[in-house]
Amino acid sequence: MADKDIPVVVIGLGRFGSSLALELARQGTEVLAIDHRPKVVQAMAGQLTHIATADATDIEALRQLGVPDFHRAVVGIGSDIEASILTTSLLVELEIADIWAKAVSRQHGRILERIGATHVVLPEHDMGERVAHMVGGRMLDYIAVDENFALAKTRPIREIVGTPLGETGLRRKHGVTVVSVKSEGEEFTYATPDTVLQYGDLIIIAGPIAKVERFPELL
Ligand code: ADP
């Protein structure tokens, strides 16, 4: 079974949960969306096939909605930390194998992990870090994909313009690799050792965080 064929229960339809539920549905994943605010549920009813008003801290309500049959759940409740923790612990009790939970702080995230969430995401924290790289550096986009590895969208530095990438020694000298390139008016494509960059190009670089952060300073 492809990952997108695994149904997902999404609890808490705030900004995070609602975007997530709609994107899953758009990708063809079956979604059961739950929120305790009837207004929120009404507003989204036309966009999602399975949606219900219920208090997710009530295990009976979760049982009645068939939540125990799901293997994957997302808890999008954030600001009500108590409800987030309680809901996550009920999903653990219902033996949902794959539980994703949103945290509003590192401490909140640590608690969610302790009680059994399999994946904890810190969207605001992560977005803050990401935007800092765009505001403070010369990156047009940035994402840390692991503790010490990142991808960034930026411009080519002078020393790699006009020479085939394979001959620039970029990885050896600066520790990063150009993985994709977009010339003006064209789409992004894979970079190869023969790719010759121009000043107006956009590039995606990959490498250890410190090296990726340093790269635009070489411009
Ligand atoms: P965001 O920042 O993504 O908007 P919020 O934490 O503000 O996230 O929103 C969380 C959503 O979770 C809200 O729509 C709220 O009604 C819902 N919610 C909070 N507590 C419960 C609960 N006990 N059961 C179901 N839904 C809940």
Side-chain angles (χ1 to χ4, degrees), residues 85-189:
I85 293 170
L86 198 48
T87 301
T88 305
S89 71
L90 293 183
L91 296 174
V92 173
E93 194 175 324
L94 293 172
E95 297 180 348
I96 311 284
D98 198 19
I99 304 170
W100 295 72
K102 176 183 103 165
V104 293
S105 66
R106 287 208 185 278
Q107 287 95 322
H108 181 195
R110 241 173 268 138
I111 295 170
L112 293 170
E113 269 167 9
R114 285 254 167 99
I115 59 176
T118 35
H119 309 269
V120 171
V121 289
L122 285 137
E124 298 205 329
H125 180 272
D126 292 352
M127 189 51 94
E129 273 188 10
R130 187 170 163 196
V131 173
H133 283 90
M134 295 181 234
V135 173
R138 285 192 232 176
M139 291 178 201
L140 305 163
D141 208 343
Y142 173 90
I143 184 162
V145 290
D146 203 355
E147 250 172 49
N148 188 30
F149 203 82
L151 294 172
K153 181 161 92 177
T154 183
R155 299 277 180 194
I157 53 172
R158 191 175 310 133
E159 65 182 80
I160 61 170
V161 169
T163 312
L165 278 174
E167 293 168 27
T168 59
L170 178 68
R171 197 176 318 170
R172 181 174 39 81
K173 283 193 235 158
H174 300 300
V176 301
T177 309
V178 176
V179 289
S180 295
V181 55
K182 182 181 181 351
S183 304
E184 266 182 275
E186 290 180 29
E187 303 277 304
F188 263 109
T189 182

Side-chain angles (χ1 to χ4, degrees), residues 10 161 217:
V10 180
V161 169
E217 286 162 23

Side-chain angles (χ1 to χ4, degrees), residues 29-103:
T29 299
E30 196 182 315
V31 173
L32 167 62
I34 300 172
D35 200 288
H36 69 168
R37 288 187 295 166
K39 268 198 179 159
V40 171
V41 170
Q42 271 163 26
M44 289 191 72
Q47 297 161 275
L48 292 166
T49 332
H50 307 289
I51 183 160
T53 310
D55 179 359
T57 62
D58 174 356
I59 197 160
E60 276 318 310
L62 295 179
R63 284 209 176 97
Q64 274 173 22
L65 288 169
V67 172
D69 297 334
F70 284 78
H71 292 282
R72 181 168 288 165
V74 181
V75 182
I77 305 171
S79 28
D80 186 345
I81 295 183
E82 212 173 285
S84 147
I85 293 170
L86 198 48
T87 301
T88 305
S89 71
L90 293 183
L91 296 174
V92 173
E93 194 175 324
L94 293 172
E95 297 180 348
I96 311 284
D98 198 19
I99 304 170
W100 295 72
K102 176 183 103 165

